[in-house]
């Protein structure tokens, strides 16, 4: 609001206050005749100019910034600070993401694997979720190792994968380790590893 308009409003408010202070003792014949305290005040009061009054939003106080009209910043950085306060807003850091869950158990080992024996030979072993009596169906393709080539079933017990040949003989025992299965062939004791792949 312009300073001149504020001054004019202050003078008008003072004039109204002084006029309201008059009592009946000043309303006698002398007051009506232009004599007395009221008559003395009237000539010295300047006329209040009338004009249009406009309204506009006030600027923020010194040291405070106006609130943005856009959306809050990304990454959870939201802070509400009262204007004029001495609080400094700091970005809010979101909590770290939890570590990825490594699937374990029977369902985690179903699928195609590449088997590698101690001699460096590799072949394909498939572990199915289809039941085969008390076990699950399995198959091996391209395996040079005779024991591994005869695998027809598998099971998961106590955190270990058992590969079976026809007739129920255990061909290999493996344990989950990260993204692979590591163990040994039962007859020879040679190491065996299965890694994901098709």
């Amino acid at each position: 609001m312009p300073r001149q308009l504020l001054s004019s409003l202050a003078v008008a408010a003072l004039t109204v206050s002084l006029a309201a202070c008059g009592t009946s003792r000043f309303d006698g014949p002398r007051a009506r005749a232009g004599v007395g305290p009221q008559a003395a005040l009237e000539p010295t009061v300047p006329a209040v100019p009338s004009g249009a009054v406009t309204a506009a939003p006030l600027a923020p106080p010194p040291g405070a910034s106006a609130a943005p009209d856009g959306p809050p910043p990304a990454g959870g950085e939201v802070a509400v600070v009262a204007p004029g306060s001495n609080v400094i807003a700091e970005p809010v850091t979101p909590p770290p993401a939890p570590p990825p869950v490594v699937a374990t158990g029977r369902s985690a080992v179903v699928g195609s694997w590449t088997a590698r024996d101690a001699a460096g030979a590799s072949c394909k072993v498939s572990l199915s979720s289809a039941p085969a009596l008390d076990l699950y169906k399995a198959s091996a393709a391209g395996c040079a190792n005779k024991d591994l080539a005869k695998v027809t079933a598998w099971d998961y017990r106590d955190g270990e994968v058992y590969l079976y040949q026809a007739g129920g003989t255990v061909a290999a025992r493996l344990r989950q380790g990260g993204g692979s299965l590591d163990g040994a062939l039962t007859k020879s004791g040679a190491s065996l590893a299965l890694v994901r792949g098709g």
Side-chain angles (χ1 to χ4, degrees):
M1 211 179 259
R3 208 170 276 218
Q4 185 179 7
L5 183 57
L6 285 174
S7 300
S8 298
L9 288 176
V11 169
L14 181 61
T15 303
V16 170
S17 297
L18 288 174
C21 290
T23 60
S24 60
R25 66 189 175 111
F26 294 115
D27 292 333
R30 291 180 62 186
R32 277 186 233 114
V35 180
Q38 268 188 334
L41 284 176
E42 286 176 332
T44 61
V45 176
V48 177
S50 63
V53 177
T54 59
L58 295 175
S65 61
D69 292 334
E77 297 180 9
V78 177
V80 178
V81 179
S85 71
N86 292 331
V87 176
I88 297 173
E90 294 185 15
V92 178
T93 305
V101 177
V102 177
T104 58
R106 182 177 285 115
S107 61
V109 298
V110 171
S112 296
W113 298 85
T114 299
R116 291 195 178 97
D117 63 19
S122 64
C123 63
K124 302 298 180 191
V125 174
S126 180
L127 306 179
S128 170
S129 60
L133 298 177
D134 294 337
L135 306 172
Y136 296 90
K137 291 183 180 179
S139 63
C143 296
N145 183 291
K146 291 188 292 181
D147 293 330
L148 198 54
K150 296 177 184 175
V151 168
T152 59
W154 72 280
D155 196 13
Y156 184 89
R157 291 193 316 267
D158 301 323
E160 287 188 318
V161 174
Y162 291 80
L163 301 180
Y164 291 92
Q165 297 174 347
T169 305
V170 176
R173 288 175 61 177
L174 306 143
R175 184 170 286 279
Q176 280 183 293
S180 64
L181 300 173
D182 298 304
L185 293 164
T186 307
K187 278 188 185 176
S188 64
S191 65
L192 177 69
L194 270 65
V195 294
R196 280 290 184 192

